[in-house]
Amino acid sequence: MRYTAKFFRDNLPEWKRRKDPILLKIFYRPLSFYTASFCANHGISANSVSVFSTFVGLLACSMFLFGRWECNIIGALLISCWLLLDCTDGNLARCVKAQAFGEFVDAESSYTLVAFLGVCIGTSVFYTKGGGVLDSCSNPYFIFAGAIASSCDTLTRLIYQKYQNVARELSDKNIIPAHHEKRTDHENSGSLRVRLEQEPGIGGILPLLILLAAIFNALDLIIIYMLLYYGGGAVVFISLYTLRAMRYRNFTLKL
């Protein structure tokens, strides 16, 4: 069978169409139908694309460490390439063949990118001549702010996973009511919560903002944006799950 872009376009699930952020929906997703057809016709699997995208993400982050305008542009373009690859591996998994640990390597790619992105862009702000919009040149606080922004994304994921594991264990032991926390893509694809989570992030408008900021020497604004988005989101998220855990403070556990 020879795969075409039309094949991937026609077989994209409706829930995925609804879930995709706006920029991804109008640009990256349509383009990914062609890259997916190329990969499928040349025997390149979804997991292989995911692993390759991890290295693309690392290369994108490393370009910002040079502190040069042209390197910042290359880094920003590579982030867009990463997002295109992220769409491509999803197309392959849904329409051709889903592989074992596909969800893991796909998540690994995005976690790796965000984990290094903030501190690398902050380093570029520190070294880039011209000072940026806020005259931030040689200000080490932007490196620190970028590191905090990226760390908040990782911290949020770790706390969520720990909550899930503990709640599932307590539920299995009948110490707390049955745990039904897991969300499904199908059920939440069009919800406001999903939109608020995805639209401002790395799968939404952030790659375009980084590219524009790199062109106009305004990466200091990206650090502030990431700090507000990832840092603010972490505060809200951690507070929410802490309150959820405190609801069970009267349930006792025999150690």
Side-chain angles (χ1 to χ4, degrees):
M1 175 180 179
R2 183 162 184 83
Y3 295 95
T4 64
K6 183 178 184 301
F7 169 83
F8 289 99
R9 185 183 303 111
D10 293 344
N11 286 278
L12 183 68
E14 184 58 34
W15 65 264
K16 189 61 180 175
R17 298 180 194 274
R18 296 196 305 268
K19 185 180 179 182
D20 278 349
I22 295 174
L23 183 61
L24 191 147
K25 185 181 302 184
I26 64 176
F27 179 72
Y28 293 99
R29 182 67 67 187
L31 188 58
S32 74
F33 297 142
Y34 294 93
T35 54
S37 66
F38 174 86
C39 291
N41 290 323
H42 289 80
I44 303 173
S45 67
N47 282 15
S48 297
V49 175
S50 296
V51 172
F52 178 66
S53 71
T54 301
F55 291 101
V56 171
L58 288 172
L59 180 60
C61 292
S62 67
M63 294 306 298
F64 292 100
L65 297 176
F66 292 96
R68 298 175 60 88
W69 181 82
E70 57 271 25
C71 291
N72 292 341
I73 300 295
I74 295 173
L77 290 173
L78 284 173
I79 293 173
S80 289
C81 290
W82 172 88
L83 186 52
L84 177 61
L85 291 171
D86 187 56
C87 294
T88 301
D89 63 17
N91 293 339
L92 292 170
R94 280 184 294 271
C95 301
V96 180
K97 184 174 67 174
Q99 298 172 282
F101 284 95
E103 185 178 354
F104 167 76
V105 291
D106 179 55
E108 179 186 44
S109 176
S110 60
Y111 296 172
T112 300
L113 174 64
V114 179
F116 292 102
L117 185 60
V119 68
C120 291
I121 292 180
T123 302
S124 180
V125 172
F126 178 75
Y127 286 114
T128 299
K129 303 302 180 183
V133 174
L134 303 178
D135 194 23
S136 308
C137 187
S138 300
N139 190 336
Y141 289 110
F142 276 85
I143 301 178
F144 179 72
I148 291 296
S150 291
S151 298
C152 283
D153 178 72
T154 303
L155 178 64
T156 300
R157 298 181 188 279
L158 287 172
I159 289 178
Y160 174 76
Q161 191 59 54
K162 186 63 176 181
Y163 179 92
Q164 293 295 309
N165 292 340
V166 172
R168 191 174 298 111
E169 180 181 351
L170 293 174
S171 177
D172 291 342
K173 294 179 179 179
N174 296 318
I175 296 172
I176 66 173
H179 184 58
H180 300 291
E181 178 68 19
K182 184 174 178 59
R183 298 183 299 173
T184 65
D185 289 329
H186 302 70
E187 294 172 352
N188 296 274
S189 58
S191 69
L192 177 60
R193 177 171 60 179
V194 168
R195 288 297 176 196
L196 292 176
E197 289 175 356
Q198 293 192 339
E199 291 289 354
I202 197 65
I205 198 174
L206 183 55
L208 176 60
L209 295 179
I210 292 175
L211 178 58
L212 293 175
I215 293 173
F216 296 105
N217 195 28
L219 287 174
D220 45 358
L221 297 184
I222 293 297
I223 293 298
I224 295 174
Y225 177 90
M226 290 181 66
L227 187 61
L228 292 174
Y229 173 62
Y230 289 113
V235 170
V236 172
F237 190 90
I238 294 171
S239 299
L240 174 63
Y241 277 87
T242 300
L243 290 173
R244 289 188 180 185
M246 290 300 292
R247 290 188 305 182
Y248 300 106
R249 61 185 178 276
N250 294 326
F251 289 68
T252 58
L253 175 65
K254 183 180 293 186
L255 300 176

